[in-house]
Amino acid sequence: MPRKTRWENYISAREKGFDVSTSQRPEYNALHDKNMRRYFENEAIQDHLWRTGQIDRMGRVIDLEKNKSKLRIIEKEFSTAEKKEVLRRKEEDEWREMVTKLRMQQLEGAQKMKKIHQLKQDRIINEEITAIAKEAFGISDNSTKTRRVVAVMGKGANQKLHRNNEMS
């Protein structure tokens, strides 16, 4: 084995005495480092530290460990507000969808009623044309005509038709 020099023995003894795995080093914070003080006194750096929430307006360092509970409360309030906003938007969307469906149903109902009314009018016109054509060819069918006109115009029309038939 090669002989170790005194210096090598000294270094190896120091290395054996230093164990990184069990060493309890204090948490380093550059804001508390006295050698970094000059750097952090710079206005631009102070402005940046203030914007990032590391110091207050007076230049004092904010201890995040002490303020964690406050931060948690604020974060919880934000998450609660976000959930409420999501629920509000969801309810609003459901309401809009319901109103839209209702309007569509009303519109479809109105269109259906208009179409039914138009079909009734067309039927009346067709019956009148048929009646005129039958009259022109000498075919008489008063009973069917009376029933159809009464059905369309109502009971008061039935009395008028009987009067008109009696007069002619």
Side-chain angles (χ1 to χ4, degrees):
M1 246 179 151
R3 248 175 123 184
K4 290 187 176 181
T5 65
R6 225 159 85 193
W7 178 252
E8 290 172 339
N9 286 336
Y10 172 75
I11 295 295
S12 81
R14 284 194 69 174
E15 286 177 356
K16 287 178 185 173
F18 186 73
D19 186 12
V20 179
S21 63
T22 61
S23 165
Q24 293 294 329
R25 290 179 288 140
E27 187 73 28
Y28 177 73
N29 187 345
L31 294 172
H32 294 290
D33 190 344
K34 65 180 180 179
N35 297 316
M36 296 291 293
R37 187 173 191 164
R38 263 300 206 203
Y39 173 75
F40 290 119
E41 287 177 352
N42 183 332
E43 273 188 50
I45 301 300
Q46 290 241 337
D47 189 46
H48 172 72
L49 293 173
W50 180 80
R51 279 187 275 121
T52 58
Q54 297 180 48
I55 62 172
D56 63 6
R57 286 274 186 194
M58 301 300 292
R60 293 177 298 222
V61 176
I62 296 174
D63 188 7
L64 295 178
E65 291 299 317
K66 289 180 182 176
N67 294 320
K68 273 188 179 178
S69 62
K70 293 177 186 177
L71 290 173
R72 283 191 198 117
I73 291 170
I74 292 169
E75 288 172 354
K76 191 172 184 177
E77 287 176 359
F78 274 120
S79 68
T80 304
E82 286 175 6
K83 287 178 184 177
K84 285 181 181 180
E85 180 64 19
V86 167
L87 285 174
R88 186 193 64 78
R89 286 183 182 176
K90 185 178 179 182
E91 288 175 357
E92 188 176 300
D93 290 343
E94 288 173 357
W95 181 254
R96 282 186 180 145
E97 187 177 329
M98 185 178 69
V99 168
T100 303
K101 283 181 181 178
L102 183 61
R103 286 181 182 167
M104 289 300 290
Q105 288 173 351
Q106 289 174 345
L107 202 104
E108 288 171 358
Q111 289 174 343
K112 195 180 225 182
M113 292 302 292
K114 186 177 179 181
K115 189 173 184 177
I116 290 171
H117 180 70
Q118 185 64 40
L119 289 171
K120 285 181 180 180
Q121 293 295 324
D122 290 346
R123 191 179 77 215
I124 292 170
I125 292 170
N126 285 339
E127 288 176 357
E128 290 175 0
I129 291 171
T130 305
I132 291 171
K134 284 182 179 180
E135 246 180 66
F137 290 109
I139 303 171
S140 176
D141 191 14
N142 287 340
S143 63
T144 309
K145 181 179 178 185
T146 304
R147 271 185 283 152
R148 286 186 180 151
V149 171
V150 168
V152 173
M153 298 177 77
K155 292 181 181 179
N158 189 15
Q159 295 169 355
K160 288 181 183 177
L161 285 175
H162 284 295
R163 282 189 223 138
N164 290 340
N165 286 339
E166 290 173 1
M167 293 175 139
S168 45

